[in-house]
Amino acid sequence: MTKKPTQPATTRSDFDEAALFFHRYPTPGKLQIQATKPLGNQRDLALAYSPGVAAPCLAIHEDPATAADYTARGNLVAVVSNGTAVLGLGNIGALASKPVMEGKAVLFKKFADIDVFDIEINAHEIDHIVDVVSALEPTFGGINLEDIKAPECFEVEERLREKMNIPVFHDDQHGTAIIVAAAVLNGLHLAGKKIENAKIVTSGAGAAALACLNLLVKLGAKRENIWVNDIEGTVYEGRTVLMDRWKAAYAQKTDARVLADVIDDADVFLGLSAAGVLKPELLQRMAEKPLIMALANPKPEIMPEEARAARADAMICTGRSDYPNQVNNVLCFPYIFRGALDVGATAINEEMKLAAVHAIAALAREEPSDIAARAYSGDTPTFGPDYIIPSPFDQRLILRIAPAVAMAAMETGVATRPIEDMEAYIDRLNRFVFRSGLIMKPVFAAARSQRKPLRVIYADGEDERVLRAAQVVIEEGIARPILVGRPQVIDTRLKRYGLKIRPGSDFDLINPQDDPRYRDYVDLYLSLTGRQGITPEGARTIVRTNSTVIAALAVMRNEADAMLCGLEGRYERHLRSVRQVIGMQPGVSNFSTLSLLISQRGALFLTDTYVKVNPTAEEVAETAILAAKEIRRFGIEPKVALVSHSNFGSKESESAEKMRQAAAILAERAPDLESDGEMHGDAALSQTLRDRVFPNSRLKGEANLLVFPNLDAANITLNVVKIMTEALHVGPILLGAAKPAHILTPSVTSRGVVNITALAIVEALQRSTKTSKK
């Protein structure tokens, strides 16, 4: 008889429930295997398996190095864990660790396009672990050890590196160490100190802490200046409790026994221990301009607010995303493996780690690029106490770390496939940055960067999707929601859906049936529409019943910074209301829309997908310019293709001529915008195909914005591609409005509402920044 699994006794939070739902639906887990070759006929099957597979098998037998040419091994990493030290969960076992390892696999793929098999092993003895992992070498190009407890993890990695001829990297140790080392270099630089003179005090002596210290010593720190503390107190010569050979290397000849005994005049505090360990009175005894690395999660050794109150001159790093200077392993591990795999490295040696340290530190000191500045919504972080390490979502990380690691591998002789053309390699990485599908990340980072949350008003405030989105928006610190809706209806639905947000404290309400501003709203609406056939009686009715009009009026009265509507009803009706109340930007002849599709292949923008049925050549060019401006909000440089059934003059139809004229107008009005047309859709997405018919095109590489000749072509393409590629649709994004306003569609999900909310807030931030500079 099968025993039914018992339900956990603990009460789950809303976030926990959301996480469980996310992992379970629509398919359990976060990974799947996908074929990279077409298997559309009998010949494809014969080539892929028997008898065709014999040829690469024999080639690899003759020359093992060709495995990287004929199999996925050269881009395949194993994430291996026995579940003995999982996140903050401890020893939960191999099976329970699987969601974490799948998550690590997703990060590898998303950030560096590396394929991963997660391998959870029921092995606890060092010999057993080494035997199991080393036997995997024929399958993988690299091994990422994860969540194996100390001190076993030190010896496991050491023995595997000696035994295996592929990179073995324990990320808990070295990933953290590399980012910490970069932060220490930059923090000491800002403080005007040298690492060889710096006094370093740690709280915690686990795998990560000791790896950090080892790497800092490689960078010049002196062992006599390093003071290690753990749960038993100071590590001193002669101590026998909780000691091992790795920790003993930092034992001091001293009478000090606790952290308070060694904190005086410390330049760096490195915390990888527990919440509240560093008291404000201890921080006050540290040296001038101290660097505080309080990395315990979720609550650090000292909260940044406490640290600032105790020492205004302190530089502070945490492991949290809601404070500056987040120490996050995703800053480095995908890119270190990317560089190592691309040169067929046999190991990740100290020189490769140090190359990553210097690349990360140097990136933080770089002048922000134009694209990075756009991604940060005009409030671009610059090198200083609140920005000593880059954001985990800085798209330049892969472009700096992977080549640096690859070069170090080649220079130290561990590269079996050296890169011959480094410029071409970096160009390949550049193309991946666009295809990675992470383009919403800088948008959300910019939306969260506001000191005081901006206000977004939702016309469909009673809709379940809006209510769920509002909770996410509040939790993420993206905006302050304002809901248009009846209080009793919203209250009932919040309870029905188990949502904990409440009006007044979490969000604001506009009750269309009874709001004290009603007469003011009516007067404003009449002043805007009085010459458009709207009577006073009609205005009173509309302001009571049309929630889109109410939301638009709130934006015009500066009671909200952005608006979203359109979850019910026809797009054209909502657009009419936005046109009446908010109007268009100066110099814009008509509204248009932009849609973003994010799929496994990458990101693709399409326009105009919802408004103009049959635009003129001038309108097509105008839409392309507006769309390009919007794309730059994502930190992406637009590459525009005006698509047609004609390919550079191959047809003479009216539609082809229109797109030809639009391309000429666009080139004249926006000469710095990389664009061309008219061209076929496949030519827009393939330089090879484009070069066959027109090798002198102004467009280089792969277009990321497709501009269509009419609404039929744009909307049909959007919906077919969305279904066929299972792409996430972000949009439609309304272009040309005088203030941030977006009209969604009835098919939008709560996730889609959140995405457009973040975009609307970034738009509002950038407009306010631009206005304040005038």
Side-chain angles (χ1 to χ4, degrees):
M1 182 173 170
T2 304
K3 185 179 179 181
K4 290 183 69 175
T6 58
Q7 293 296 320
T10 56
T11 301
R12 297 191 182 109
S13 68
D14 288 348
F15 187 79
D16 290 339
E17 291 291 350
L20 290 171
F21 185 90
F22 177 88
H23 281 78
R24 188 172 185 179
Y25 299 103
T27 303
K30 299 186 286 281
L31 297 173
Q32 67 178 9
I33 294 175
Q34 197 169 30
T36 60
K37 298 294 189 295
L39 300 172
N41 54 43
Q42 183 59 41
R43 179 172 172 80
D44 290 344
L45 294 172
L47 290 170
Y49 195 51
S50 180
V53 75
C57 287
L58 292 173
I60 294 168
H61 179 69
E62 293 171 7
D63 181 4
T66 60
D69 300 321
Y70 300 124
T71 74
R73 182 176 186 264
N75 194 52
L76 187 61
V77 166
V79 171
V80 181
S81 179
N82 64 359
T84 53
V86 178
L87 294 172
L89 305 176
N91 186 355
I92 61 173
L95 181 59
S97 77
K98 189 172 179 65
V100 178
M101 303 313 130
E102 285 190 357
K104 195 67 176 279
V106 169
L107 295 179
F108 265 109
K109 187 64 178 179
K110 284 293 184 183
F111 282 91
D113 200 25
I114 293 171
D115 296 316
V116 166
F117 291 158
D118 60 293
I119 309 288
E120 294 75 32
I121 57 175
N122 282 321
H124 297 88
E125 299 299 324
I126 291 174
D127 288 344
H128 191 189
I129 298 171
V130 171
D131 287 344
V132 170
V133 177
S134 62
L136 301 173
E137 183 167 349
T139 301
F140 297 99
I143 302 290
N144 183 93
L145 300 175
E146 191 78 13
D147 294 347
I148 300 172
K149 72 181 180 72
E152 290 91 333
C153 60
F154 299 117
E155 189 165 343
V156 166
E157 185 190 39
E158 193 175 282
R159 287 173 57 180
L160 286 173
R161 292 181 67 177
E162 292 173 356
K163 194 170 184 179
M164 302 181 78
N165 205 36
I166 56 175
V168 178
F169 187 82
H170 186 205
D171 184 46
D172 298 328
Q173 294 181 58
H174 308 300
T176 303
I178 286 165
I179 303 156
V180 164
V184 168
L185 287 182
N186 281 346
L188 293 177
H189 173 81
L190 286 170
K193 302 174 183 178
K194 295 184 180 297
I195 193 169
E196 55 266 29
N197 300 325
K199 180 178 178 180
I200 301 169
V201 175
T202 77
S203 174
L210 294 176
C212 290
L213 296 178
N214 292 340
L215 196 56
L216 291 173
V217 169
K218 294 280 184 183
L219 288 165
K222 305 295 185 186
R223 285 183 185 266
E224 57 266 29
N225 295 336
I226 296 173
W227 298 80
V228 176
N229 300 268
D230 62 10
I231 196 169
E232 286 293 323
T234 302
V235 174
Y236 60 89
E237 288 186 5
R239 196 181 105 174
T240 57
V241 180
L242 285 181
M243 291 296 290
D244 53 60
R245 62 186 174 95
W246 297 279
K247 195 184 299 184
Y250 292 98
Q252 294 274 21
K253 189 173 183 179
T254 179
D255 294 328
R257 292 297 181 265
V258 293
L259 178 65
D261 296 337
V262 298
I263 197 69
D264 287 340
D265 299 318
D267 299 291
V268 178
F269 171 82
L270 174 58
L272 285 152
S273 54
V277 167
L278 182 61
K279 305 299 182 185
E281 56 269 25
L282 297 182
L283 174 54
Q284 289 170 349
R285 290 162 50 188
M286 292 181 68
E288 182 184 1
K289 296 181 180 178
L291 174 60
I292 310 302
M293 308 202 72
L295 306 183
N297 255 330
K299 191 173 181 182
E301 285 78 3
I302 186 168
M303 292 299 291
E305 297 87 353
E306 288 183 280
R308 288 265 183 241
R311 289 293 296 269
D313 62 337
M315 291 169 280
I316 307 161
C317 300
T318 70
R320 294 170 51 140
S321 61
D322 53 346
Y323 291 99
N325 295 322
Q326 183 193 10
V327 175
N328 187 330
N329 287 14
V330 81
L331 268 166
C332 69
F333 74 80
Y335 316 122
I336 290 171
F337 269 97
R338 180 73 279 157
L341 292 174
D342 289 341
V343 294
T346 57
I348 294 175
N349 57 30
E350 294 304 308
E351 291 82 0
M352 293 160 74
K353 296 176 199 171
L354 292 172
V357 170
H358 290 296
I360 294 169
L363 178 57
R365 300 185 197 187
E366 281 188 30
E367 288 293 323
S369 66
D370 290 342
I371 291 176
R374 296 181 198 121
Y376 282 104
S377 186
D379 189 19
T380 314
T382 56
F383 184 55
D386 288 333
Y387 188 70
I388 61 175
I389 46 177
S391 161
F393 302 117
D394 193 317
Q395 295 175 324
R396 298 169 294 173
L397 283 164
I398 192 172
L399 305 177
R400 302 294 185 271
I401 299 173
V405 169
M407 285 293 297
M410 292 188 288
E411 290 168 358
T412 55
V414 298
T416 61
R417 299 190 305 277
I419 295 169
E420 296 180 3
D421 188 341
M422 187 57 68
E423 187 175 334
Y425 174 61
I426 293 173
D427 183 61
R428 195 178 87 207
L429 295 176
N430 245 316
R431 292 197 300 273
F432 165 72
V433 168
F434 165 68
R435 293 196 306 269
S436 67
L438 291 169
I439 63 171
M440 287 302 296
K441 294 295 185 182
V443 173
F444 276 87
R448 285 191 292 261
S449 71
Q450 50 190 313
R451 291 177 178 85
K452 181 181 179 182
L454 297 188
R455 303 153 300 171
V456 60
I457 185 166
Y458 298 96
D460 304 287
E462 297 175 0
D463 191 285
E464 177 185 356
R465 293 163 293 178
V466 167
L467 295 174
R468 293 190 181 279
Q471 175 144 325
V472 174
V473 165
I474 293 164
E475 289 174 351
E476 295 287 321
I478 294 170
R480 170 83 177 185
I482 304 170
L483 306 184
V484 179
R486 294 162 292 177
Q488 66 276 20
V489 174
I490 289 175
D491 184 59
T492 299
R493 292 181 180 179
L494 287 174
K495 291 175 181 176
R496 181 191 305 165
Y497 305 139
L499 302 175
K500 296 180 179 179
I501 56 174
R502 292 294 177 261
S505 58
D506 299 311
F507 64 90
D508 300 311
L509 267 176
I510 293 180
N511 180 3
Q513 294 180 339
D514 182 19
D515 192 281
R517 295 163 291 186
Y518 171 68
R519 289 185 179 180
D520 295 330
Y521 277 34
V522 171
D523 290 343
L524 176 57
Y525 186 57
L526 268 174
S527 72
L528 295 169
T529 63
R531 293 182 181 274
Q532 299 177 38
I534 303 296
T535 65
E537 183 60 32
R540 286 190 286 271
T541 301
I542 289 170
V543 174
R544 282 271 189 233
T545 60
N546 190 323
S547 60
T548 297
V549 168
I550 296 171
L553 290 169
V555 171
M556 293 301 290
R557 284 168 51 87
N558 292 319
E559 295 168 355
D561 300 291
M563 67 166 283
L564 271 68
C565 63
L567 277 76
E568 293 181 6
R570 300 181 64 170
Y571 192 95
E572 294 80 5
R573 177 172 67 83
H574 296 288
L575 183 61
R576 188 183 309 116
S577 297
V578 171
R579 189 189 301 272
Q580 282 182 332
V581 179
I582 290 179
M584 288 179 290
Q585 296 175 28
V588 174
S589 66
N590 199 356
F591 290 107
S592 55
T593 60
L594 176 69
S595 288
L596 164 61
L597 292 178
I598 303 174
S599 68
Q600 291 294 328
R601 189 181 184 279
L604 184 65
F605 295 89
L606 304 91
T607 192
D608 169 19
T609 49
Y610 278 89
V611 176
K612 299 173 186 172
V613 175
N614 189 19
T616 65
E618 289 78 9
E619 288 177 322
V620 170
E622 178 183 83
T623 295
I625 292 170
L626 290 171
K629 182 179 179 181
E630 187 69 31
I631 290 170
R632 291 190 175 104
R633 295 193 204 281
F634 294 86
I636 293 175
E637 194 58 38
K639 298 163 75 72
V640 187
L642 287 81
V643 293
S644 169
H645 71 287
S646 174
N647 209 20
F648 295 103
S650 65
K651 300 289 178 67
E652 294 298 332
S653 68
E654 182 179 339
S655 173
E657 178 58 29
K658 177 175 72 175
M659 297 306 281
R660 213 169 295 146
Q661 290 178 10
I665 295 169
L666 186 58
E668 180 183 352
R669 293 183 184 173
D672 295 332
L673 181 62
E674 190 175 332
S675 66
D676 211 342
E678 83 290 8
M679 69 180 75
H680 286 171
D682 55 358
L685 301 177
S686 169
Q687 171 127 18
T688 302
L689 294 176
R690 192 160 62 249
D691 285 346
R692 290 176 185 171
V693 293
F694 194 72
N696 298 319
S697 173
R698 293 187 298 271
L699 177 65
K700 302 301 178 187
E702 185 175 316
N704 54 25
L705 170 59
L706 302 184
V707 180
F708 292 88
N710 56 48
L711 185 57
D712 282 345
N715 193 268
I716 291 169
T717 301
L718 167 68
N719 287 296
V720 169
V721 173
K722 180 173 67 173
I723 292 297
M724 289 189 67
T725 63
E726 298 182 347
L728 169 66
H729 177 209
V730 179
I733 303 164
L734 186 63
L735 305 177
K739 291 179 177 288
H742 296 285
I743 305 167
L744 302 174
T745 63
S747 63
V748 72
T749 62
S750 60
R751 180 185 183 190
V753 176
V754 173
N755 284 335
I756 295 296
T757 300
L759 273 172
I761 291 300
V762 171
E763 181 183 353
L765 280 169
Q766 290 181 341
R767 290 193 185 201
S768 63
T769 301
K770 187 176 180 181
T771 302
S772 64
K773 289 180 179 178
K774 288 184 178 179

